[in-house]
């Protein structure tokens, strides 16, 4: 049914029901039913033209005709789901309103909930229309003055959200997912009560967590509490809640339902530097240093999973690295003999918003992967924010990846084909690890499989980001808290009522935390010295190949050696300009080069994580901001006359949208990497979700790679939430989506041969 036909059918039914209940006398219930149908009629008629305009141009933002997916399409689809539900409910009411079995109160509550949802969706459609009018042609992410972006996002997050978390929870997803989301929402609000009493995830029993009685029977109460939690609780709450799956009882239950593997061992890689050959000249080596950022050298934990016990996996050398995890560390079952080493190896990086979960959370589906792919899997347990912010996780993942390449024989693989695979934050790290491997000149993986990856960590608006208003798994305030923690700014989230209760001491605590935050972000030269490899000395006349990121969106390009345009011309670059500039650069120029005299034990130039280059002109930045402000002056324009969405009553002003120059670093936001860096990536296979707030990250990243003629595929699954890999056993749709990820990995490990 097309949008116009659906709207007209709904309007006709709404008018019929409105007339019926208006004639039922002065009763309060009849009045409310008449009012709700009048509201449905008004919102449907107001929403249709906006959705039509969005749909008419949505194809311009697709990767290609075979992949019709972007945030505009998703927003229209979500609104259609709401309209369709109201259409079915209106038909039901029209057919049963005279019956003695008609549950008036129940139907009234459901209609009022979906009317509130439709009203908020109409507001999102207007916001999307403003983005469409102000963005550069073909761009999904807003590029302009950051202050205007912040104003837009603060306006957006002030909207009422409780209607999406109550009776309408998960209405946009496949029906098989909705009971799970209800369980999660009940668990979250129950956990929130425990958290307020300073209880941790480990002290919460499964029974007390998922049996919040009053929240289970009162959807409106649950929605209001859910909204309060997602807007006001800090990143430590989300870390504790997401780590519930690692409680022994729950993890044991999950493993009972997963495939049985012969090997599941946690290894502790010692913080020892080692040499790796350069791909360009294997006779020349480069030193891979252990992770150093923030906490100094330390071991990196990884989990080895293998369906068969293969040669090397029970060697003394590997056994010396095993970290005891209980009786499941090595599942020995009588089998005739060891299997030979596999030609393939999968290096996996888990998701969790950079702040939560480990390989243990992802072990159930990794076991299935090991069985289906016939390859050992090494999953990296990187250190988590906020205790270990950027770039610690990247350093550890890169170190573990290089260790796996060098010691693949111990892992039961010959390493002929290596695939990097990860989901969400892990997908981000897959891209950045590969970029760093190319910068060092060592072997890059043969391909990357990234499921619903985050490629843009900058706080900015896009049509798919608008979906975070209603997403119970990825609300915008939570996303901002995770990015803040990863970027090293999480301390800002603690200046709330708890500190105010401490009076002067609370203010001292807040100001001290902010001081240390500023010192940490400001001491970038000190941090860079840690990231430099030992023995490297920059020539005074050499031109750096990876200059720090600038501090405005229009200056996202990393500086490269001066070309015909000159350095001054870089100040006006936007995301669109990166692709134009890349064509003029020499493709053979390495991101990190060997020092002139290095032969044998060579070290590359340091990967630069500085926040901004020295000597950046504040006057020129101010000029950029003014011009951007002129271009997007209507981004926060008022809604049409007579329409106002519902506003949040749960402390919207306290919602912090974190922004820092460091999130524009391409090793944090690979979407902002210049062409010369993206051209070093291996074939990329992305599996995204149509209803994911991160969808535009995948679409825009795939479009950038495609524009560079880089091999990339994008598959978008319908009606599933972010994080479907963790729900692989839940229903047929999630199993099919997980199988698609396995298929993409198989394309890397077993590439199709050349045509005969």
């Amino acid at each position: 049914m097309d949008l116009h036909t659906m709207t007209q059918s709904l309007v006709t039914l709404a008018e019929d029901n409105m007339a019926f209940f208006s004639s039922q006398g002065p009763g309060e219930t009849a009045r409310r039913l008449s009012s709700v149908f009048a509201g449905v009629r008004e919102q449907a008629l107001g929403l249709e033209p906006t959705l039509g305009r969005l749909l008419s141009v949505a194809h311009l933002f697709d990767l290609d005709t075979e992949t019709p997916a972007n945030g505009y399409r998703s927003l229209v689809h979500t609104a259609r789901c709401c309209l369709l539900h109201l259409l079915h409910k209106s038909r039901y009411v029209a057919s049963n309103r005279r019956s003695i079995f008609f549950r008036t109160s129940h139907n009234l509550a459901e209609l009022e909930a979906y009317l509130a949802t439709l009203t908020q969706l109409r507001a999102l459609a207007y916001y999307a229309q403003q983005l469409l009018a102000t963005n550069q042609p073909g761009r999904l992410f807003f590029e302009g003055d950051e202050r205007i972006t912040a104003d837009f996002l603060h306006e957006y997050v002030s909207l009422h959200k409780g209607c999406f978390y109550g009776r309408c929870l998960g209405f946009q997803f496949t029906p098989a997912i909705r009971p799970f989301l209800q369980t999660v929402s009940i668990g979250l609000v129950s956990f929130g009560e425990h958290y307020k009493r300073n209880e941790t995830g480990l002290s919460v029993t499964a029974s007390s967590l998922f049996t919040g009685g009053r929240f289970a029977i009162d959807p409106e109460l649950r929605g209001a509490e859910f909204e309060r939690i997602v807007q006001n609780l800090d990143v430590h709450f989300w870390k504790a809640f997401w780590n519930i799956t690692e409680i022994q009882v729950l993890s044991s239950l999950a493993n009972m339902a997963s495939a049985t593997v012969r090997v599941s061992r946690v290894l502790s890689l010692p913080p020892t530097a080692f040499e790796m050959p350069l791909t360009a000249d294997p006779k020349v080596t480069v030193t891979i240093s252990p992770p150093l950022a923030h906490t100094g050298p330390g071991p990196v934990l990884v989990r080895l999973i293998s369906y068969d016990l293969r040669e090397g996996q029970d060697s003394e050398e590997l056994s010396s690295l095993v970290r005891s995890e209980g009786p499941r560390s090595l599942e020995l079952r009588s089998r005739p003999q060891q299997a030979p080493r596999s030609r393939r190896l999968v290096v996996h990086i888990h998701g969790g918003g950079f702040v939560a979960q480990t390989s243990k959370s992802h072990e159930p589906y990794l076991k299935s992967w090991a069985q289906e792919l016939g390859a050992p899997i090494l999953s990296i347990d990187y250190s988590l924010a906020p205790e270990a912010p950027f770039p610690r996780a990247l350093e550890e993942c890169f170190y573990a990846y290089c260790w796996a390449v060098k010691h693949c024989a111990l892992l039961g693989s010959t390493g002929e084909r290596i695939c990097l695979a990860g989901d969400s934050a892990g997908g981000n790290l897959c891209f950045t690890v590969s970029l760093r491997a190319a910068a060092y000149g060592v072997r890059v993986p043969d391909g990357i499989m990234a499921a619903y990856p985050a490629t843009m960590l900058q706080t900015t608006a896009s049509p798919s980001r608008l979906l975070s208003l209603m997403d119970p798994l990825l609300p915008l305030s939570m996303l901002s808290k995770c990015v803040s923690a990863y970027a090293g700014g999480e301390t800002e989230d603690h200046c709330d009522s708890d500190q105010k209760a401490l009076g002067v001491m609370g203010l001292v605590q807040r100001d001290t935390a902010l001081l240390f935050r500023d010192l940490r972000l400001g001491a970038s030269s000190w941090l860079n010295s840690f990231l430099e490899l030992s023995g490297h000395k920059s020539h005074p006349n050499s031109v750096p190949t990876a200059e720090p990121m600038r501090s405005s969106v229009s200056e996202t390009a990393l500086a490269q050696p001066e070309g015909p345009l000159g350095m001054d011309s870089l100040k006006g670059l936007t995301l669109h300009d990166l692709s134009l500039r890349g064509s003029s650069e020499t493709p053979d120029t390495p991101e990190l080069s060997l020092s002139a005299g290095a032969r044998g034990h060579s070290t590359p130039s340091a990967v630069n994580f500085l926040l901004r280059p020295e000597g950046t002109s504040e006057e020129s930045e101010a000029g950029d901001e003014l011009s951007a402000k002129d271009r997007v002056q209507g981004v926060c324009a008022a809604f049409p006359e007579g329409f106002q969405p519902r506003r949040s009553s749960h402390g919207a002003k306290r919602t912090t949208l974190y922004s820092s120059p460091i999130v524009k670093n391409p090793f944090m936001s690979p979407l902002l990497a210049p062409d010369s860096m993206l051209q070093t990536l291996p074939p990329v296979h992305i599996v995204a979700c149509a209803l994911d707030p991160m969808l535009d990250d995948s679409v825009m990243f795939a479009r950038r790679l495609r524009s560079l003629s880089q091999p990339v595929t994008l598959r978008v699954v319908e009606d599933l939430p972010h994080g479907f890999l963790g729900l692989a056993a839940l229903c047929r749709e999630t199993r099919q989506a997980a199988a698609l990820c396995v298929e993409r990995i198989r394309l890397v490990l077993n590439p199709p041969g050349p045509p005969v």
Side-chain angles (χ1 to χ4, degrees):
M1 186 184 302
D2 65 86
L3 179 62
H4 179 71
T5 303
M6 180 188 301
T7 302
Q8 291 304 310
S9 299
L10 177 57
V11 168
T12 300
L13 284 167
E15 290 174 343
D16 178 64
N17 284 317
M18 182 172 55
F20 174 82
F21 290 108
S22 296
S23 65
Q24 297 302 299
E28 176 65 16
T29 301
R31 185 195 63 78
R32 288 172 62 187
L33 281 166
S34 177
S35 176
V36 76
F37 280 112
V40 168
R41 177 186 182 278
E42 176 187 353
Q43 300 305 329
L45 289 174
L47 184 58
E48 181 193 356
T50 306
L51 294 182
R53 283 192 289 271
L54 295 178
L55 197 56
S56 66
V57 298
H59 65 280
L60 300 175
F61 302 88
D62 296 333
L63 174 64
D64 51 43
T65 56
E66 297 179 354
T67 316
N70 59 70
Y72 292 116
R73 289 186 183 274
S74 300
L75 191 58
V76 172
H77 173 79
T78 302
R80 283 175 58 93
C81 288
C82 186
L83 289 169
L84 189 60
H85 184 90
L86 282 168
L87 179 61
H88 291 324
K89 178 56 65 175
S90 298
R91 284 174 178 165
Y92 173 83
V93 171
S95 300
N96 297 274
R97 61 198 180 194
R98 298 180 186 275
S99 172
I100 61 173
F101 299 106
F102 181 70
R103 296 191 297 165
T104 305
S105 298
H106 169 79
N107 287 285
L108 174 60
E110 186 171 353
L111 284 165
E112 287 179 335
Y114 273 91
L115 173 58
T117 298
L118 189 64
T119 302
Q120 303 306 85
L121 285 171
R122 185 180 173 189
L124 295 186
Y126 286 131
Y127 285 141
Q129 187 171 262
Q130 291 294 329
L131 287 175
L132 186 63
T134 56
N135 274 357
Q136 294 185 8
R139 302 299 170 211
L140 289 170
F141 287 100
F142 176 75
E143 297 178 27
D145 188 342
E146 292 180 358
R147 292 173 297 181
I148 297 178
T149 303
D151 290 342
F152 178 85
L153 291 173
H154 278 292
E155 167 76 8
Y156 154 67
V157 298
S158 70
L159 293 178
H160 168 68
K161 310 167 190 65
C163 60
F164 294 113
Y165 305 140
R167 292 181 190 272
C168 304
L169 179 70
F171 72 94
Q172 69 272 37
F173 299 122
T174 184
I177 293 290
R178 295 171 196 170
F180 165 77
L181 294 177
Q182 285 188 341
T183 303
V184 169
S185 66
I186 294 171
L188 187 142
V189 295
S190 301
F191 186 84
E193 287 194 324
H194 289 275
Y195 187 80
K196 286 187 293 184
R197 294 195 292 267
N198 296 321
E199 295 182 20
T200 66
L202 295 179
S203 67
V204 179
T205 64
S207 59
S208 65
L209 183 60
F210 295 106
T211 56
R214 70 184 192 278
F215 297 123
I217 64 177
D218 190 340
E220 281 69 37
L221 177 64
R222 182 174 71 240
E225 180 66 8
F226 198 108
E227 179 180 8
R228 185 197 66 79
I229 286 174
V230 299
Q231 288 200 179
N232 298 324
L233 292 186
D234 59 20
V235 71
H236 299 283
F237 167 81
W238 294 103
K239 177 192 283 282
F241 181 71
W242 285 342
N243 284 336
I244 285 173
T245 55
E246 304 201 2
I247 295 176
Q248 186 63 42
V249 174
L250 296 181
S251 63
S252 298
L253 290 174
N255 278 287
M256 287 174 60
S258 62
T260 300
V261 298
R262 185 76 192 277
V263 178
S264 179
R265 321 179 76 173
V266 175
L267 311 177
S268 179
L269 309 183
T272 305
F274 56 88
E275 302 296 315
M276 288 279 288
L278 298 182
T279 53
D281 185 359
K283 295 180 181 180
V284 180
T285 62
V286 62
T287 302
I288 305 299
S289 300
L292 296 171
H294 301 294
T295 56
V300 179
L301 299 182
V302 296
R303 181 184 297 271
L304 175 62
I305 298 174
S306 180
Y307 181 71
D308 294 302
L309 179 62
R310 298 183 178 275
E311 293 180 16
Q313 291 177 345
D314 60 350
S315 64
E316 291 185 6
E317 185 176 356
L318 189 71
S319 298
S320 66
L321 302 177
V322 172
R323 174 174 173 173
S324 176
E325 198 193 20
R328 293 193 309 108
S329 294
L330 179 59
E331 301 174 8
L332 292 174
R333 305 183 208 287
S334 57
R335 293 190 183 178
Q337 60 183 2
Q338 289 183 349
R341 290 185 174 91
S342 172
R343 296 175 53 252
R344 300 168 292 273
L345 176 66
V346 177
V347 178
H348 172 262
I349 307 178
H350 68 80
F354 302 102
V355 303
Q357 300 192 338
T358 67
S359 62
K360 188 175 183 179
S361 309
H362 298 249
E363 189 179 10
Y365 72 79
L366 291 178
K367 287 182 174 182
S368 298
W369 285 10
Q371 180 182 13
E372 297 178 45
L373 296 170
I377 298 175
L378 190 74
S379 185
I380 304 171
D381 282 326
Y382 54 89
S383 297
L384 301 172
E387 294 79 10
F390 176 84
R392 183 71 188 197
L394 172 58
E395 288 187 347
E396 292 184 358
C397 290
F398 175 69
Y399 180 82
Y401 164 76
C402 292
W403 186 94
V405 173
K406 184 177 180 67
H407 300 90
C408 58
L410 296 179
L411 305 176
S413 171
T414 61
E416 294 178 45
R417 300 290 298 182
I418 298 178
C419 178
L420 260 180
D423 70 306
S424 192
N428 174 291
L429 289 168
C430 284
F431 295 136
T432 54
V433 164
S434 186
L435 290 173
R436 202 175 193 202
Y440 271 68
V442 300
R443 176 182 177 178
V444 298
D446 296 289
I448 296 173
M449 193 291 294
Y452 37 87
T455 64
M456 169 68 94
L457 298 190
Q458 182 181 353
T459 302
T460 186
S462 86
S464 75
R465 288 286 199 273
L466 298 177
L467 297 174
S468 62
L469 186 79
M470 69 194 76
D471 196 301
L473 302 179
L474 285 181
L476 179 63
S477 57
M478 182 271 292
L479 289 176
S480 182
K481 289 179 175 69
C482 290
V483 172
S484 170
Y486 187 47
E490 190 274 335
T491 51
E492 288 185 354
D493 292 335
H494 293 290
C495 51
D496 56 12
S497 58
D498 293 334
Q499 284 188 338
K500 292 178 181 179
L502 296 176
V504 174
M505 292 305 296
L507 295 176
V508 170
Q509 178 184 352
R510 179 198 64 187
D511 293 338
T512 303
L514 292 176
L515 172 63
F516 280 111
R517 192 280 315 268
D518 292 334
L519 288 174
R520 178 169 55 196
L521 294 180
S524 54
S525 59
W526 175 85
L527 172 61
N528 192 61
S529 67
F530 271 106
L531 297 172
E532 289 184 346
L533 300 179
S534 58
H536 170 66
K537 300 293 182 181
S538 299
H539 193 279
N541 297 323
S542 64
V543 180
T545 58
E547 193 177 347
M549 293 303 295
R550 302 177 187 270
S551 62
S552 70
V553 175
S554 63
E555 298 171 335
T556 53
L558 286 179
Q560 300 293 321
E562 275 194 61
L565 296 177
M567 293 303 293
D568 292 338
S569 64
L570 296 181
K571 293 188 179 295
L573 289 180
T574 64
L575 183 60
H576 171 67
D577 298 324
L578 294 175
S579 59
L580 300 179
R581 185 164 181 264
S583 61
S584 65
E585 295 174 352
T586 304
D588 296 330
T589 302
E591 287 298 323
L592 297 178
S593 59
L594 297 172
S595 57
R599 297 292 186 270
H601 294 283
S602 172
T603 60
S605 304
V607 177
N608 202 325
F609 292 106
L610 294 178
L611 300 186
R612 60 181 289 164
E614 296 180 0
T616 300
S617 171
E618 294 183 1
E619 291 79 10
S620 63
E621 289 184 1
D624 288 344
E625 290 176 354
L626 289 175
S627 61
K629 189 171 184 178
D630 292 337
R631 184 172 66 84
V632 297
Q633 57 184 349
V635 74
C636 296
F639 297 111
E641 185 177 355
F643 172 76
Q644 279 297 326
R646 305 187 184 194
R647 297 294 176 180
S648 175
S649 59
H650 290 279
K653 292 183 179 180
R654 292 174 56 192
T655 301
T656 301
L657 297 175
Y658 181 77
S659 180
S660 167
I662 200 171
V663 299
K664 302 169 194 172
N665 190 304
F667 290 98
M668 277 194 76
S669 296
L671 180 60
L672 299 179
D675 292 352
S676 57
M677 291 181 68
L678 295 182
Q679 287 170 337
T680 66
L681 287 175
V684 170
H685 302 282
I686 302 174
V687 180
C689 306
L691 300 178
D692 183 2
M694 296 291 185
L695 171 64
D696 290 337
D697 295 55
S698 297
V699 174
M700 286 302 297
F701 196 70
R703 289 178 61 186
R704 282 211 63 197
L705 293 178
R706 181 72 59 84
S707 71
L708 299 172
S709 300
Q710 288 288 104
V712 58
T713 67
L714 172 64
R715 294 290 300 274
V716 181
V717 298
E718 303 290 337
D719 303 330
L720 291 180
H722 185 94
F724 64 74
L725 278 175
L727 312 175
L730 189 62
C731 62
R732 175 178 55 85
E733 291 85 354
T734 53
R735 287 192 293 271
Q736 290 175 344
L740 179 59
C741 294
V742 174
E743 176 195 324
R744 302 288 100 176
I745 297 175
R746 193 175 280 116
L747 286 177
V748 176
L749 300 180
N750 304 302
V756 179

